């Protein structure tokens, strides 16, 4: 089964985001190491952290002109929903589902961090967003229209408003 370790490849040069991601990787490793008797508890800690982690990023996106239904936030909702479904299955006695989910998360997370989160981190730096205070120091750099995609140049969105907003968001 796939496991994940923190590496510089996951660092996005946004300290609060990097710290949160490092905690995610550590909690996921704790799930991998957990014996059956501690597995559900370790999974609960991972789900709780992930709920906060995703809510934090979603709030940053909302503060910097991402539409609430953008693909990055949607992926957060789907992953968290699946993780919560794992809790239900494990509470019914199927612990193996958590081990499989942990392995899948170890494969998913680097891709998510290096694409969607990297685009978000770049966007936040460009608009001068302070993740701690929530202040946008370069409001003139905010896109004129809500960002519908993930905020990266590789997102495809046929909306003219998004096409116009992306250069401003990435400038």
């Amino acid at each position: 089964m796939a496991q994940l370790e923190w590496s510089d490849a996951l660092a996005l040069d946004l300290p609060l985001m990097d710290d949160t991601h490092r905690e995610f990787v550590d909690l996921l490793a704790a799930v991998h190491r957990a014996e059956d008797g501690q597995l559900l508890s370790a999974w609960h800690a991972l789900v709780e952290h992930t709920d906060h982690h995703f809510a934090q990023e979603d709030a940053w996106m909302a503060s910097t002109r991402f539409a609430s239904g953008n693909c990055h936030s949607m992926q957060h909702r789907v992953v968290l929903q699946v993780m919560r479904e794992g809790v239900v299955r494990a509470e019914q006695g199927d612990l193996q589902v958590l081990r499989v989910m942990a392995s899948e998360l170890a494969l998913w997370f680097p891709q998510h961090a290096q694409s969607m989160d990297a685009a978000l981190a770049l966007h936040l730096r460009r608009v001068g967003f302070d993740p701690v205070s929530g202040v946008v120091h370069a409001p003139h750099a905010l896109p004129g229209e809500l960002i519908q995609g993930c905020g990266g140049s590789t997102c495809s969105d046929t909306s003219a408003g998004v096409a116009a907003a992306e250069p401003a968001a990435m400038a």
Side-chain angles (χ1 to χ4, degrees):
M1 292 192 146
Q3 293 189 28
L4 179 62
E5 291 183 21
W6 180 259
S7 72
D8 288 342
L10 295 173
L12 300 175
D13 195 30
L14 198 66
L16 187 55
M17 183 183 281
D18 287 340
D19 291 346
T20 302
H21 286 175
R22 195 174 290 110
E23 291 169 13
F24 176 87
V25 170
D26 290 345
L27 288 166
L28 185 57
V31 167
H32 279 288
R33 290 189 308 269
E35 298 292 329
D36 285 354
Q38 289 75 43
L39 182 60
L40 189 54
S41 175
W43 188 260
H44 276 292
L46 179 64
V47 171
E48 182 178 328
H49 165 84
T50 303
D51 186 27
H52 173 74
H53 166 181
F54 289 174
Q56 181 178 56
E57 288 182 11
D58 291 345
W60 295 343
M61 286 186 270
S63 295
T64 59
R65 309 268 313 140
F66 275 77
S68 62
N70 73 76
C71 61
H72 191 160
S73 294
M74 184 63 69
Q75 193 171 96
H76 285 170
R77 285 190 290 277
V78 169
V79 168
L80 199 52
Q81 178 183 347
V82 170
M83 291 175 74
R84 288 181 175 138
E85 289 172 7
V87 169
V88 172
R89 296 264 310 268
E91 287 174 343
Q92 295 170 347
D94 184 3
L95 295 178
Q96 184 60 25
V97 73
L98 298 185
R99 299 208 183 276
V100 171
M101 285 183 177
S103 182
E104 292 299 319
L105 283 171
L107 297 172
W108 167 81
F109 183 74
Q111 177 64 29
H112 178 82
Q114 294 166 347
S115 59
M116 291 186 178
D117 286 344
L120 175 59
L122 177 63
H123 168 73
L124 295 175
R125 284 192 300 275
R126 287 192 172 158
V127 302
F129 184 76
D130 178 357
V132 176
S133 69
V135 173
V136 175
H137 293 286
H140 62 280
L142 288 168
E145 301 289 328
L146 292 177
I147 299 170
Q148 301 292 332
C150 67
S153 61
T154 59
C155 282
S156 61
D157 193 318
T158 57
S159 167
V162 172
E166 283 190 299
M170 302 311 284

